[in-house]
Amino acid sequence: MVLHPLLGVDEVPAVEPYLGRVGEVFRVFGERDSGCVAYGVRLLDGARWFVKEAVNEHGHRSLERGWAFHRAVRHTAIVPQVHRIAVRDGWAVVMPWRSGEVLYHPAAGGSRDRTRPGGPMARFRSLPTAEVLRAFDRVLDAHLTVEAAGQVAVDFYDGTLLYDFAAGAVHLVDLDEYRPGPFVLEDERLPGSRRFMSPEEFVRGAVIDSRTTVFTLGRAARHLLDAGDEERAWRGTAGQLAVVERATFPAPDDRFTDVHRFAEAWRAAGAAR
């Protein structure tokens, strides 16, 4: 029996040289603040995979957290971590490759990447409203599964959304900071994009729970369903905007208490179009 070159190997001395022996590395995603380097690799049988390797202690912690999250949560919109390989003193994780474009590349041009003509976000925002709504509903459905597994969203933003324009499909990637909740914030702040983060994510000692995820999803809806980046051209209904406004109240007690109730209100508002 021939072992799979990625799923059948438990340890390698170094990731990139090994990938070059078993296939072709066609993309390299350099180290960012995640502490990881990732590779797109095409194996000899033509199948494409995504391999992410930790390169420092922060990356090791991130991959450990991500591995635990993917063992707890499975949803067809969430790209899974299906195998991990020991390398030196850490790990590399293996995921199926998904076609598409990340809606936002913070390293590619900062906030300008969101408004760049012809860029992924600008093209996404130019889609018919019904298609954008379908994509967001898919994101929302994935987070119902996240909540049901006792997990909360951390570091979710438009950079974790991979959109396949040809297939009209959205995938969630890089959810390594998601974790079991509720929990008490022990640091000065959580990682993430300020544009999507709730006030409590910047307060040491604050409780992070489903209401925090509700805020993040509300911000995502507001961001994705706007025709521009200044949030002055809402494309949804007045009822949907009212749901978003409640989801993003500064005080957690004023929001929907969980993702389930937020989803019910959002879908009811959409049905009333």
Side-chain angles (χ1 to χ4, degrees):
M1 178 180 178
V2 178
L3 296 178
H4 190 282
L6 292 179
L7 306 184
V9 61
D10 293 324
E11 183 175 3
V12 298
V15 172
E16 189 169 11
Y18 178 78
L19 297 179
R21 291 198 299 273
V22 301
E24 173 199 0
V25 175
F26 61 88
R27 288 284 299 276
V28 177
F29 304 85
E31 180 185 353
R32 289 162 49 186
D33 55 4
S34 67
C36 296
V37 173
Y39 309 92
V41 58
R42 183 181 293 104
L43 300 182
L44 299 179
D45 63 3
R48 295 188 296 173
W49 295 85
F50 185 84
V51 180
K52 183 191 292 186
E53 175 191 12
V55 295
N56 58 32
E57 186 56 36
H58 176 68
H60 294 324
R61 290 194 301 270
S62 179
L63 285 194
E64 286 289 348
R65 184 181 290 117
W67 183 254
F69 169 77
H70 285 283
R71 307 283 70 72
V73 178
R74 299 293 177 92
H75 188 278
T76 53
I78 298 175
V79 181
Q81 293 182 2
V82 296
H83 184 62
R84 65 177 180 175
I85 303 169
V87 51
R88 296 188 295 275
D89 297 324
W91 299 97
V93 294
V94 181
M95 291 161 274
W97 179 267
R98 294 286 188 263
S99 297
E101 298 174 67
V102 175
L103 292 185
Y104 173 55
H105 283 283
S111 61
R112 295 188 304 277
D113 190 61
R114 293 188 171 106
T115 57
R116 176 171 53 87
M121 180 58 78
R123 288 158 52 214
F124 181 81
R125 283 173 165 158
S126 70
L127 293 172
T129 303
E131 291 186 33
V132 177
L133 286 168
R134 279 196 296 272
F136 180 71
D137 194 71
R138 188 78 165 145
V139 171
L140 186 54
D141 191 65
H143 282 87
L144 287 169
T145 300
V146 168
E147 181 173 78
Q151 303 275 323
V152 295
V154 178
D155 196 19
F156 172 85
Y157 69 118
D158 42 1
T160 62
L161 297 177
L162 182 77
Y163 193 74
D164 185 340
F165 286 90
V170 66
H171 306 285
L172 279 68
V173 299
D174 289 337
L175 306 184
D176 294 342
E177 292 294 336
Y178 281 40
R179 58 195 76 178
F183 66 91
V184 174
L185 178 56
E186 297 179 350
D187 299 316
E188 294 298 327
R189 59 162 287 177
L190 283 169
S193 166
R194 286 182 175 271
R195 188 163 194 160
F196 291 79
M197 293 171 70
S198 66
E200 64 267 24
E201 293 181 82
F202 298 90
V203 180
R204 183 191 292 271
V207 174
I208 309 299
D209 58 16
S210 289
R211 297 169 301 176
T212 310
T213 304
V214 166
F215 185 100
T216 299
L217 291 171
R219 288 294 304 136
R222 186 67 186 87
H223 180 64
L224 296 174
L225 275 158
D226 202 279
D229 211 45
E230 297 179 349
E231 298 185 2
R232 297 176 181 173
W234 175 249
R235 300 178 66 196
T237 66
Q240 289 170 327
L241 184 58
V243 171
V244 167
E245 289 172 346
R246 179 178 172 187
T248 55
F249 277 134
D253 288 344
D254 293 335
R255 304 173 200 152
F256 297 99
T257 55
D258 54 37
V259 177
H260 178 75
R261 288 173 175 81
F262 169 65
E264 283 186 334
W266 174 262
R267 289 168 174 169
R273 290 177 68 89

